[in-house]
Amino acid sequence: QEGQVRVKVLATPIHPSNLLQISGNYGVDPTLPSTPGSEGVGRVVETSAGVTNLAVEQLVLLAGGGTWREEIVAPAASFIPLPDLGTPSAELIEQLAMTTVNPLAALLMLNNFVELEKGDWLVQSAANSAVGGYVIQLAKKRGIKTINVVRREGLAKELKSLGADVVLIDGPDLASQIASAANNAPVSLALDAVGGETFTRLTNSLAYGGTIVAYGMLSGQPA
């Protein structure tokens, strides 16, 4: 229809949130029938009358949901145009497909709940996730110190290369580990993607009046 474009989907990621919604555990039910998918990248293959901001063969980011499909027909304004990248590699295509959800989630959680200052501490679970990696890098740029909780050994070197200050293994004594790592300095913000006991341990590590942001439940258990 007028004002719409047709886009061939090149790549679209599978997020835990997508799987939670499919299984009915996301917290917000989709309106059926529903196509999963929350982001991706594609190439314009057809435009209609009235479309001036997109051209055939142009790369675009997909947003607004329903991205798990081969082609999308939607208003041109619902796509985010990308600059001319020539012939991008498969690796670049995959990276572009993951640029609208996780980086923005990390940025919003850092900015919208607690006014963190240089030298402040925050703690996060699932630190080896995509969101966790962005949190580490964005916090490092602002001089915010991060305590990064993971559930298995062997991840510290990679996370510290991104700028992590401390990497801890989750366990019953997590709150005391966090206090020791921060030299008993107050921790005013916790970010949790795991839920269950991990959520409780992070909460117990917070200073009085601290804030915990729950954005996932990778353990399958609610906060």
Side-chain angles (χ1 to χ4, degrees), residues 3-223:
Q4 292 185 327
V5 297
R6 182 163 59 94
V7 173
K8 175 180 174 60
V9 176
L10 301 179
T12 177
I14 300 172
H15 289 298
S17 58
N18 302 138
L19 303 181
L20 285 171
Q21 190 162 64
I22 290 170
S23 65
N25 294 306
Y26 186 66
V28 178
D29 292 331
T31 301
L32 301 177
S34 175
T35 300
S38 44
E39 64 177 339
V41 64
R43 192 179 296 278
V44 178
V45 293
E46 185 179 355
T47 63
S48 64
V51 174
T52 59
N53 65 318
L54 296 176
V56 172
E57 293 298 315
Q58 185 169 5
L59 283 176
V60 292
L61 297 180
L62 317 178
T67 60
W68 288 8
R69 60 181 92 189
E70 294 178 354
E71 288 189 344
I72 298 175
V73 174
S78 65
F79 300 97
I80 302 170
L82 289 169
D84 184 6
L85 300 173
T87 304
S89 66
E91 181 181 6
L92 178 56
I93 288 293
E94 290 181 354
Q95 292 299 314
L96 288 170
M98 298 182 285
T99 54
T100 61
V101 172
N102 290 330
L104 292 179
L107 182 65
L108 289 171
M109 288 193 294
L110 278 175
N111 290 346
N112 286 27
F113 295 95
V114 175
E115 291 188 14
L116 295 170
E117 304 291 342
K118 185 176 181 179
D120 286 349
W121 286 93
L122 71 81
V123 61
Q124 65 166 338
S125 63
N128 58 314
S129 67
V131 172
Y134 285 117
V135 167
I136 291 170
Q137 294 173 82
L138 291 169
K140 185 72 172 180
K141 286 181 176 295
R142 290 174 51 185
I144 298 165
K145 298 179 181 179
T146 59
I147 299 172
N148 301 278
V149 180
V150 295
R151 293 186 284 178
R152 58 185 171 87
E153 299 281 356
L155 298 170
K157 183 178 180 181
E158 176 185 352
L159 295 182
K160 287 187 175 181
S161 72
L162 295 177
D165 293 285
V166 178
V167 180
L168 301 176
I169 305 296
D170 196 359
D173 63 340
L174 182 61
S176 62
Q177 287 192 71
I178 291 169
S180 177
N183 292 318
N184 293 312
V187 177
S188 56
L189 176 64
L191 310 176
D192 179 51
V194 177
E197 294 181 352
T198 299
F199 175 90
T200 302
R201 293 165 185 160
L202 292 184
T203 302
N204 291 338
S205 75
L206 286 171
Y208 181 78
T211 298
I212 184 164
V213 180
Y215 70 100
M217 44 182 257
L218 293 171
S219 66
Q221 301 297 317

